[in-house]
Amino acid sequence: MTVRIVARGASTNRTTRPPDRRPASRQWSAWAFLAPVTLYLALFYAYPLYRNADLSLRDYTVRSFVQGDAPFTGLENYRKVFDDPAFGPALTHTIVFTAVCLVFQYAIGLALAVFFHQRFRLSATLRALFLVPWLLPLIVSASSWSWMLNSDSGVVNAALHVIGVGPVHWLTSPSWSLTSVIIANIWIGVPFNLVLLHSGLQSIPRNLYEAAALDGASAWQRFWRITFPLLRPVSAVTLLLGLVYTLKVFDIIWIMTKGGPAGSSTTFATWSYRLGFGSLLPAFGPGAAVGNLLVVAALAFGLVYLRLQRKQALS
């Protein structure tokens, strides 16, 4: 039997390789790609939220912004907001404005999405025309609706006069001002719902409709049993985004009615602006507090949506 003895330090067949530095370089590359997004979120989202929270917890005045000596008041600004007589009407108007706009925007958008899903000759052209309200600047849309709903020279009252209906004071009557801004906001938001829901309809296999038609299902049964259930994830995203957008609508209401008359169309968004910038003695703290209430409401609905999505994924 022959025994081979390898001396210590002798070379072997195994060769030592330098340590792999690629994982570290990949990690730095990943951080480099994330840095612009992180910086953007920190500057334009995190810092404004922090400043708004700080405003709501201090007694800020114009002098305080210059000297930087605003005293800390805790939740005093929130107490002022809740005790303000305008809180109840503003909350009611915000809920009504948001709920009615969401329902009609989604219903009309879904109806149009199903209609354009039929793929007729002018489908693409008409669908593009329906996007015009969404593409227009809000100041143009709001100004156009202000002109159309004008009590004396508006085209809406002119059309009502033709059919024998008297003039309606759309923008100057407490009974109609909130309805007027709701109509304008629905008109602006329908194209957004149309685009999202139409894209969701494109992902539903057509063979499901063909099989249901062979089984004798009517058009309504195909919609209720196939379209609506399979469109539920897209509908949830559409409603959530519409909710967040509608909660913070300011431009349309301010341009058309400025929250009036007599606060009849005031929502939290316009009330927050009026408190902070609508007088010679601005109340920055209460105005920021009202704005934070909107942020909390949007965050709460977002968390509810995430919870529902998690339950749906687990089931």
Side-chain angles (χ1 to χ4, degrees):
M1 180 175 60
T2 305
V3 180
R4 292 186 60 186
I5 301 176
V6 179
R8 182 177 297 178
S11 87
T12 63
N13 291 332
R14 293 180 299 176
T15 58
T16 58
R17 296 180 180 178
D20 192 359
R21 301 182 181 275
R22 284 181 296 177
S25 62
R26 288 175 181 174
Q27 185 177 7
W28 282 108
S29 300
W31 281 110
F33 280 108
L34 288 175
V37 178
T38 305
L39 184 63
Y40 174 81
L41 292 176
L43 289 178
F44 297 101
Y45 285 88
Y47 181 71
L49 287 175
Y50 161 74
R51 287 294 299 158
N52 202 59
D54 182 68
L55 277 173
S56 67
L57 299 176
R58 296 180 180 274
D59 184 18
Y60 267 99
T61 61
V62 177
R63 183 180 60 83
S64 300
F65 276 104
V66 178
Q67 298 182 356
D69 58 347
F72 182 80
T73 59
L75 300 178
E76 179 65 21
N77 289 322
Y78 292 92
R79 187 190 65 79
K80 292 180 180 179
V81 168
F82 290 130
D83 292 341
D84 196 308
F87 176 80
L91 176 61
T92 302
H93 298 157
T94 302
I95 294 174
V96 172
F97 179 82
T98 304
V100 175
C101 286
L102 280 182
V103 169
F104 279 91
Q105 286 174 353
Y106 177 79
I108 298 174
L110 179 59
L112 290 174
V114 173
F115 173 72
F116 287 120
H117 191 54
Q118 304 303 317
R119 297 181 180 178
F120 52 92
R121 178 174 294 179
L122 296 177
S123 175
T125 303
L126 293 177
R127 193 167 69 248
L129 291 177
F130 268 99
L131 296 179
V132 172
W134 191 29
L135 300 176
L136 288 175
L138 288 179
I139 188 172
V140 175
S141 301
S143 300
S144 300
W145 275 100
S146 296
W147 171 73
M148 289 190 296
L149 296 176
N150 186 275
S151 301
D152 300 323
S153 58
V155 295
V156 175
N157 276 351
L160 292 177
H161 177 72
V162 172
I163 61 177
V165 179
V168 178
H169 302 288
W170 297 98
L171 305 177
T172 57
S173 171
S175 302
W176 287 101
S177 60
L178 185 61
T179 302
S180 302
V181 296
I182 286 176
I183 293 173
N185 191 64
I186 290 173
W187 180 78
I188 293 172
V190 164
F192 176 76
N193 288 258
L194 168 61
V195 170
L196 292 185
L197 296 172
H198 187 268
S199 64
L201 289 175
Q202 302 295 326
S203 63
I204 300 178
R206 287 193 170 269
N207 56 4
L208 296 178
Y209 296 103
E210 295 172 358
L214 290 176
D215 290 338
S218 63
W220 171 253
Q221 289 174 330
R222 292 196 297 270
F223 170 80
W224 189 249
R225 299 294 183 181
I226 299 176
T227 303
F228 195 71
L230 295 181
L231 204 60
R232 191 172 300 165
V234 179
S235 298
V237 174
T238 303
L239 290 173
L240 177 64
L241 294 177
L243 173 70
V244 174
Y245 167 78
T246 309
L247 278 175
K248 65 182 184 64
V249 167
F250 164 78
D251 317 65
I252 301 168
I253 301 175
W254 191 259
I255 292 173
M256 293 181 64
T257 65
K258 288 185 169 58
S264 57
S265 59
T266 295
T267 61
F268 274 1
T270 57
W271 189 30
S272 176
Y273 178 83
R274 178 169 291 168
L275 287 172
F277 305 99
S279 64
L280 296 177
L281 296 175
F284 294 116
V290 175
N292 284 333
L293 294 178
L294 288 175
V295 173
V296 171
L299 180 62
F301 282 105
L303 293 177
V304 170
Y305 167 76
L306 292 177
R307 185 176 181 84
L308 294 177
Q309 289 293 100
R310 184 175 300 177
K311 285 185 177 180
Q312 184 178 359
L314 293 176
S315 61

